Amino acid sequence: MEKGYWLKRKRASLKLAENAGSAEARLIHYDLAGRYSLKAHSAETQLIDLADAAPPVVCAPGRKGRSDA
């Protein structure tokens, strides 16, 4: 979800850069778009790192032949 947010911000900044009235404003919006792109990439790699860092699921073996009734 966070990756999608940053990509949306990147696209908005690129659109603002295209419509900017001055070169300085255009450069600022392109800079922001680049930063948002890095944020999106960072959010994606954090999810991958978290998935790799999760401990394996361990299930205790059930007791066979036991009746709770």
Side-chain angles (χ1 to χ4, degrees):
M1 182 175 143
E2 188 176 350
K3 179 184 172 186
Y5 170 78
W6 291 117
L7 290 175
K8 187 184 343 177
R9 295 297 310 141
K10 175 188 169 188
R11 286 189 293 272
S13 286
L14 289 173
K15 191 170 193 167
L16 288 169
E18 290 175 11
N19 298 328
S22 69
E24 183 179 38
R26 190 173 299 112
L27 286 174
I28 290 170
H29 287 297
Y30 280 137
D31 181 58
L32 285 172
R35 291 171 191 248
Y36 294 146
S37 178
L38 291 174
K39 286 280 212 179
H41 180 71
S42 177
E44 181 180 19
T45 56
Q46 283 177 353
L47 289 176
I48 293 170
D49 292 344
L50 286 175
D52 290 342
V57 177
V58 178
C59 297
R63 296 182 187 170
K64 294 182 180 178
R66 182 170 177 232
S67 163
D68 289 336

